């Protein structure tokens, strides 16, 4: 039997969830479901949802659980998610985690990874982070010099409006208050693992693979 990977990754802003989720999704041929990306697309597209969430996101606050649950329920019901998915940025509250268990009722077991990184590293990383407007690549700086063009496709790089230092501090507070309690929520499960995200991306990727193998081993 082919084992579908149903994975949720959480971690503070800037922990590298997006980078790891993207890589894993490509490797496994399953969709990366980034709630942050879905919301940002709605804002860009000027949809009703986008107008509703823009101010909340710019302030670094969390969008309401009901709205988020509607989005995730709909996305996971699509055909391409039936053979596995990687949730990136969801759940972010204990209420979302509880509801996710209900949504996934009857599907294969959920694997949950926490990507852990300390606050000071995060503030540093986020203030330097740039995103490619063309291919979506996330670019850190190299040798202390911020890059202007995407090294992958040459597209223009820009800073996310919520990556300014004052907003970042607030997002970290929200993380500690609303999302960090997920560790306790998932702690007792054999399919929960924490990965040290304060390492180079390739090393984190190896640690993610090792964690997934360990979970598989424990389930066998
Ligand atoms: P990061 O993990 O770097 O903070 P994301 O791209 O995951 O960035 O999310 C950006 C913003 O989108 C969040 O600050 C929040 O306002 C909103 N958001 C994304 N996912 C959720 C969620 N599951 N619940 C509530 N708000 C969310
Ligand atoms: Zn690019």
């Amino acid at each position: 039997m082919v084992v579908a990977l149903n994975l949720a990754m959480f971690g503070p802003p800037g922990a590298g969830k997006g980078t790891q989720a993207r890589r894993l999704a490509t490797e496994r041929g399953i969709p990366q479901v980034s709630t942050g990306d879905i919301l940002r697309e709605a804002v860009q597209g000027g949809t009703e949802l986008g107008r509703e969430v823009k101010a909340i996101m710019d302030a670094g606050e969390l969008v309401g659980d009901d709205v988020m649950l509607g989005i995730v329920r709909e996305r996971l019901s699509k055909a391409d998610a039936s053979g596995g998915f990687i949730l990136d940025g969801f759940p972010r509250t204990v209420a979302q985690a509880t509801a996710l268990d209900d949504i996934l009722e009857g599907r294969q077991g959920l694997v949950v990874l926490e990507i852990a990184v300390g606050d000071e590293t995060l503030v540093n990383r986020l203030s330097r982070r740039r995103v490619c407007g063309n291919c979506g690549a996330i670019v850190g700086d190299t040798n202390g010099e911020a890059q202007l063009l995407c090294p992958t496709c040459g597209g223009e790089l820009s800073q996310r409006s919520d990556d300014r230092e004052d907003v970042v501090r607030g997002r970290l507070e929200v993380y500690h208050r609303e999302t960090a309690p997920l560790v306790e929520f998932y702690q007792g499960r054999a399919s929960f693992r924490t990965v040290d995200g304060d390492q180079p991306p390739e090393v984190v990727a190896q640690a993610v693979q090792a964690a997934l193998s360990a979970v598989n081993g424990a389930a066998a």
Side-chain angles (χ1 to χ4, degrees):
M1 189 182 83
V2 179
V3 182
L5 175 63
N6 293 346
L7 174 67
M9 290 213 263
F10 74 92
K17 310 177 286 286
T19 304
Q20 298 301 330
R22 195 169 203 204
R23 174 175 204 146
L24 209 52
T26 308
E27 248 172 54
R28 307 262 176 142
I30 54 179
Q32 170 192 8
V33 178
S34 160
T35 47
D37 284 351
I38 292 172
L39 294 172
R40 274 185 293 278
E41 269 161 34
V43 170
Q44 293 261 301
T47 65
E48 193 185 330
L49 171 67
R51 286 195 300 275
E52 196 179 319
V53 302
K54 183 175 189 319
I56 300 173
M57 292 179 73
D58 283 344
E61 300 291 334
L62 295 186
V63 173
D65 289 334
D66 289 348
V67 172
M68 295 314 303
L69 282 165
I71 292 173
V72 168
R73 190 176 286 117
E74 190 194 321
R75 183 63 188 86
L76 293 186
S77 72
K78 294 206 170 136
D80 68 338
S82 64
F85 54 80
I86 300 173
L87 278 170
D88 157 19
F90 185 97
R92 237 183 177 87
T93 65
V94 170
Q96 289 178 11
T98 306
L100 180 60
D101 283 341
D102 290 340
I103 292 175
L104 295 179
E105 185 98 63
R107 293 172 76 149
Q108 282 188 53
L110 178 69
V111 178
V112 180
L113 294 184
E114 176 202 12
I115 313 275
V117 179
D119 283 8
E120 284 319 305
T121 303
L122 297 169
V123 173
N124 252 311
R125 278 190 193 175
L126 288 169
S127 60
R128 291 173 201 193
R129 173 165 82 175
R130 297 294 182 272
V131 183
C132 174
N134 184 46
C135 77
I138 302 157
V139 184
D141 70 346
T142 44
N143 306 324
E145 226 174 286
Q147 294 180 305
L148 298 173
L149 294 178
C150 174
T152 307
C153 77
E156 215 165 304
L157 299 178
S158 62
Q159 183 174 43
R160 264 170 52 175
S161 52
D162 58 354
D163 275 351
R164 292 194 322 270
E165 183 167 343
D166 51 331
V167 183
V168 165
R169 298 256 173 214
R171 282 161 67 203
L172 288 173
E173 266 178 51
V174 171
Y175 180 80
H176 289 299
R177 192 177 64 234
E178 304 285 345
T179 311
L182 290 181
V183 173
E184 207 179 318
F185 181 86
Y186 287 121
Q187 196 87 74
R189 301 191 189 183
S191 56
F192 173 68
R193 289 285 187 287
T194 297
V195 168
D196 176 8
D198 202 348
Q199 318 180 73
E202 316 78 57
V203 181
V204 178
Q206 284 166 12
V208 165
Q209 296 292 1
L212 294 177
S213 305
V215 167
N216 261 333

